[in-house]
Amino acid sequence: MFRARLSAAAAAVGLLACLPGCSSASGAVEGCVGAQAVGATSGELAGTYRGEGDAEGVTLTLKAPEASESEPGGGKVTVRDWPTGDWYRSELGEAFDGSGTWSVVQGGTSATEFAHLSVSFTAPERFLGGDTLDSLLIAERDGRTSLYAEDDPDACPAFRLLR
């Protein structure tokens, strides 16, 4: 009986010690990159993003058409050292420099549906859907925008770009 009480007390102390540092999946992501966006416009996302974590050395530049600065649309994209392959399943593959178009896919009405950036490469032509990373979630913290790939919802995104 004493051992049972001791085990229960140890478990309670462990839980209490964890409360300040433990977080839900969305809390882990928010702590690293900021609050996830439900929507965004071309003008809000336009700019140059530099990689952090697994994306170190990667550059992504989003250009919005001047006429649609406040529209959700998209525009032209250029990348440098962009990864290929199913990197999220194993390791980053060969990198390439390329260009194409981008658009914002707005979040839904549910609290779990967030906006994301969709990229379509026109150069080099060898990359079809699934051959490279072509979708990134959008977040903001302290007035800075982050684009990231959520590979583990319980951890800070390993592949993230910051403007």
Side-chain angles (χ1 to χ4, degrees):
M1 185 152 139
F2 177 73
R3 285 185 186 173
R5 285 185 183 179
L6 185 60
S7 294
V13 169
L15 178 61
L16 290 173
C18 178
L19 286 177
C22 294
S23 63
S24 67
S26 63
V29 169
E30 192 168 315
C32 298
V33 294
Q36 292 177 305
V38 175
T41 66
S42 298
E44 291 170 334
L45 293 180
T48 298
Y49 295 78
R50 304 216 185 304
E52 296 181 338
D54 284 355
E56 189 171 337
V58 173
T59 303
L60 172 116
T61 302
L62 302 176
K63 294 182 183 173
E66 289 182 31
S68 65
E69 289 291 317
S70 62
E71 302 201 11
K76 303 279 183 194
V77 62
T78 56
V79 296
R80 196 180 103 244
D81 291 332
W82 198 255
T84 62
D86 294 332
W87 66 272
Y88 54 89
R89 293 190 185 126
S90 58
E91 294 183 17
L92 293 170
E94 170 189 341
F96 70 95
D97 296 345
S99 61
T101 60
W102 66 277
S103 62
V104 178
V105 178
Q106 303 296 331
T109 56
S110 165
T112 60
E113 296 176 13
F114 299 104
H116 67 273
L117 176 79
S118 179
V119 179
S120 177
F121 292 103
T122 54
E125 293 180 9
R126 70 179 192 249
F127 296 105
L128 303 173
D131 290 340
T132 187
L133 181 62
D134 58 6
S135 180
L136 297 166
L137 290 167
I138 305 164
E140 185 175 315
R141 178 175 62 198
D142 300 328
R144 297 191 74 185
T145 303
S146 295
L147 304 173
Y148 66 96
E150 186 176 53
D151 50 350
D152 180 354
D154 294 325
C156 193
F159 188 92
R160 56 190 183 274
L161 303 153
L162 183 65
R163 183 177 61 186

